[in-house]
Amino acid sequence: MRFNILKKSEYDKYDGEILEMLTEGDEEFVPPLSARSSTTQSDLSGGTKASNGVLNYFNELKKQKILVAVEDEKLIGFVSFKENFINDKIDECELPNIYISTLLVAESGRGKGLTGKMYEFLFNEYEDSNVFTRTWSTNYAHIKILSKFGFETITVLENDRGKGIDTVYFKKRRKI
């Protein structure tokens, strides 16, 4: 298994596989990716699904950096992220940082600790940066991984994704 942060010139090589993974994993996200207009939108209360499926989300994702995990020349996972991201939950004083917007592992890559390996790769590449992400409160598997790596909860937006489903923002402090 190998990991690589793609250069913009390499994106086309994985476009089809990333789009396929997003389409297959669409319903695993809350709300589904096909009901989102971007990877960082603030209103996650569940819009209607786009007629073109996950294509709007995919086009926004391609504007970010992408870490790919490849095994036997096949994409088995990826992470999209932004450098030095600021919003109403992440202040300028948190720079330098990376904000992980999407993490997805293909069915064939699950159960191999791939999510943790991709996080470790990013921690090593960006050891001088704070790392931020968000997920929904019922995404227990991901929250368990974040806890294992020392992420701390910084904000909880109650019922942000529907009744009983909160949006939770996490931060891992940079090495000092």
Side-chain angles (χ1 to χ4, degrees), residues 47-67:
T48 57
K49 288 187 171 187
S51 59
N52 63 358
V54 299
L55 199 54
N56 294 337
Y57 190 89
F58 173 66
N59 287 330
E60 286 299 310
L61 182 143
K62 289 188 345 179
K63 295 176 183 176
Q64 300 174 29
K65 291 198 170 249
I66 301 173
L67 165 67

Side-chain angles (χ1 to χ4, degrees), residues 34-53:
S34 57
R36 302 182 194 193
S37 59
S38 81
T39 60
T40 59
Q41 76 186 54
S42 57
D43 180 6
L44 294 167
S45 57
T48 57
K49 288 187 171 187
S51 59
N52 63 358

